[in-house]
Amino acid sequence: MLSSFLTGFFLGISLIVAIGPQNSFVIRQGILGKHTFYVALFCAISDSLLICLGVIGISFFLNSFISEFSNLLFGLSSLWLFGYGVLRLKSAFKGNINKEIADSKSKKLRSTILVLAILTFANPHVYLDTMVLIGSISQQFLGIYRITFAMGAIVASFVFFFCLGYGATKLSPLMKRKSSWQVLDILIAIIMFNIAFNLFFAINW
């Protein structure tokens, strides 16, 4: 049982450790110190639900769906992530950092979670990683071992996102200068553009 749990845990960590749109948003909210707990909780619960769906076998149906509608999914996701990257780039060079920080701190939880939900579920890779890949690998385990494998992957999500969010809060003293926020927004924009272009070129024209 411990072996299957650790397999799920380390697989989960390896899949979500790469900085993507969701992780970038968590880092930014952590630095702002706004809704950090709920942002991390939303990400962890979202991953957990998708992992559970994959483990119970829906991954096979989703894999067919993604294959059939991959061009549409990748195209829309590419446009959304590119647009978010443009906003971050605009903020880096033309935005009023102090005003944006103040606006972010006054932003209600509902609107924050809405943006996060779009960044999370508009990315096809979240389904490929959690439902298809983890779901498919889980099929090699039987009975209670499959459950402990899934629990390992779920625990990995909770550990990662809470460490990421609250770890980012430690950077807040370094982010008092405008140049620090510019660097962060530029890095986020580069990540968004990179993912958007990869999705774009993955389209079967």
Side-chain angles (χ1 to χ4, degrees):
M1 288 178 62
L2 180 60
S3 176
S4 59
F5 177 88
L6 292 176
T7 300
F9 181 86
F10 288 113
L11 176 62
I13 286 290
S14 67
L15 291 175
I16 60 178
V17 72
I19 299 298
Q22 185 187 54
N23 294 354
S24 300
F25 189 84
V26 174
I27 292 172
R28 207 168 192 278
Q29 289 300 121
I31 292 173
L32 289 170
K34 187 66 175 176
H35 305 312
T36 305
F37 174 82
Y38 294 104
V39 165
L41 183 64
F42 178 87
C43 291
I45 290 177
S46 298
D47 267 14
S48 300
L49 291 174
L50 294 175
I51 289 169
C52 288
L53 288 174
V55 169
I56 63 177
I58 201 172
S59 58
F60 298 110
F61 299 102
L62 184 72
N63 196 21
S64 299
F65 178 83
I66 290 177
S67 298
E68 186 175 353
F69 297 99
S70 60
N71 288 345
L72 178 61
L73 291 172
F74 287 7
L76 292 176
S77 298
S78 176
L79 288 174
W80 163 253
L81 294 175
F82 184 83
Y84 187 76
V86 170
L87 289 177
R88 294 274 56 87
L89 206 58
K90 181 180 178 182
S91 173
F93 291 105
K94 294 185 178 181
N96 184 330
I97 300 299
N98 292 328
K99 181 178 183 301
E100 185 173 347
I101 292 174
D103 290 343
S104 296
K105 287 184 175 293
S106 64
K107 186 176 291 185
K108 293 183 178 180
L109 176 61
R110 180 182 299 177
S111 56
T112 299
I113 295 300
L114 178 60
V115 173
L116 179 58
I118 296 174
L119 288 174
T120 298
F121 296 109
N123 184 4
H125 289 296
V126 72
Y127 304 104
L128 292 172
D129 288 345
T130 56
M131 296 181 70
V132 176
L133 185 56
I134 293 179
S136 297
I137 292 176
S138 72
Q139 304 306 309
Q140 67 181 289
F141 297 97
L142 299 175
I144 189 66
Y145 295 101
R146 185 178 298 177
I147 296 175
T148 55
F149 170 84
M151 289 302 300
I154 289 170
V155 169
S157 290
F158 276 88
V159 170
F160 177 80
F161 285 116
F162 277 94
C163 287
L164 185 66
Y166 284 102
T169 61
K170 303 299 182 182
L171 298 176
S172 56
L174 303 176
M175 303 299 291
K176 296 184 182 296
R177 294 176 299 178
K178 180 179 179 180
S179 59
S180 298
W181 279 100
Q182 287 178 319
V183 170
L184 177 64
D185 280 334
I186 289 172
L187 287 175
I188 292 176
I190 291 172
I191 292 169
M192 296 303 105
F193 291 147
N194 181 58
I195 297 173
F197 286 133
N198 285 337
L199 289 173
F200 180 79
F201 289 115
I203 296 175
N204 184 21
W205 297 98

